[in-house]
Amino acid sequence: MMDVAAAEPVWRESELSSSVDLLALRVVGKASMGPDIVVVTLEHADGLELPPWEPGAHISILLPPGIERQYSLCGESSHTRWRIAVKRVENGRGGSQYIHDSLGIDDVVKARMPRNNFRLVSAERYLFIAGGIGITPLLPMIRDVAFRGLPWELHFAIRNVAAVPFENELRALPNGAMTVYADDAGKLLQLAKVVHTLQVGFKVFCCGPVTMMDELEALAAGWEPSTLHLERFSSAQTVSEGDHPFTVYLEKTGRSVEVGADETILDAVRRAGVTVQSSCREGLCGTCETPVLSGAVDHRDSILTPGEKDEGNYMMICVSRASDLKLRLDL
Ligand code: FES
């Protein structure tokens, strides 16, 4: 998960003050990696231990311009230091620009506890596919797999062959190999070829541009369920033309809330005075995940697997809606 050109949501004071999972992190390192990536190292601002996390996890950072962005933890598992890598997004709303241009050593930022919607599942062998900064959630996974002695391969598509993010770290890992596909070298990643020889026992993990992941998802249509794992970082459309109003019954609160055609469940529930945590508001981070007690859901998030969406037990209320006229939620 990484900073993207998609809409960068503004957090509200009410959300911030109601949050119980905020950490104060101090910037203890900042270094450029190629022309448009900075690597930031963070420690607990009070010198305390940091919470544990697993490969695939991300944190949400609240930045002074009033924005909140999610970044994958891409360093080694450590109780004292976290590492993120941030690509500059020229047409974003300021998250990456702030980190690149203004965030300095010793600055303190607030961040939410690590969340993981992209877990490394057990397999006999692993195929990793990354596009650009999409390497960040995959790097800790590859490290974990490599040091457990399991076979892996990484197919890494980038623009510039002279600027492969984390190249030395990746090439030093045992039990696998990285193949780089660079636009400027005329070597393009052909996903169909890469997965053509996929053997039994492989699990595939991919993070990169939407087009890459959509193509891979289409290629995976006939695969065993749970073979393919994607980390999407583009925002879902929260409300679209043709959406209809519906009613949400909040079981714990004992209230019914009308959700207009042009608003999200999250906004409607908040308007009714019910406190719900959120972060990305784009169906990307999982913070607003809510149990569904009854009703059909029109899932629009990028987190739940197709199987989880079919089960309909949970939904991301910042983007997903009711398929019909009623939903009953455990709120
Ligand atoms: S707030 Fe991030 S998924 Fe809803």
Side-chain angles (χ1 to χ4, degrees), residues 189-192 210-220:
L189 171 59
Q190 295 180 33
L191 288 172
V210 172
T211 48
M212 170 188 277
M213 291 193 288
D214 285 350
E215 183 184 347
L216 190 57
E217 206 164 30
L219 288 166

Side-chain angles (χ1 to χ4, degrees), residues 15 58 60 68 70 115 117 266 270 277-289 301-303 315-319:
E15 285 173 53
H58 70 268
S60 289
E68 177 168 345
Q70 290 77 42
R115 297 184 66 90
N117 308 313
L266 179 67
R270 285 211 172 120
Q277 277 207 16
S278 69
S279 176
C280 71
R281 301 198 212 182
E282 297 176 272
L284 297 171
C285 72
T287 306
C288 69
E289 185 176 58
D301 65 274
S302 303
I303 299 165
M315 70 185 294
M316 306 304 148
I317 61 171
C318 64
V319 291

Side-chain angles (χ1 to χ4, degrees), residues 229-255:
H229 300 261
L230 301 173
E231 172 82 319
R232 289 191 180 272
F233 53 89
S234 64
S235 58
Q237 195 168 11
T238 53
V239 177
S240 44
E241 212 173 314
D243 282 343
H244 61 270
F246 54 93
T247 304
V248 174
Y249 181 71
L250 309 179
E251 184 76 19
K252 285 183 184 146
T253 321
R255 297 181 58 179

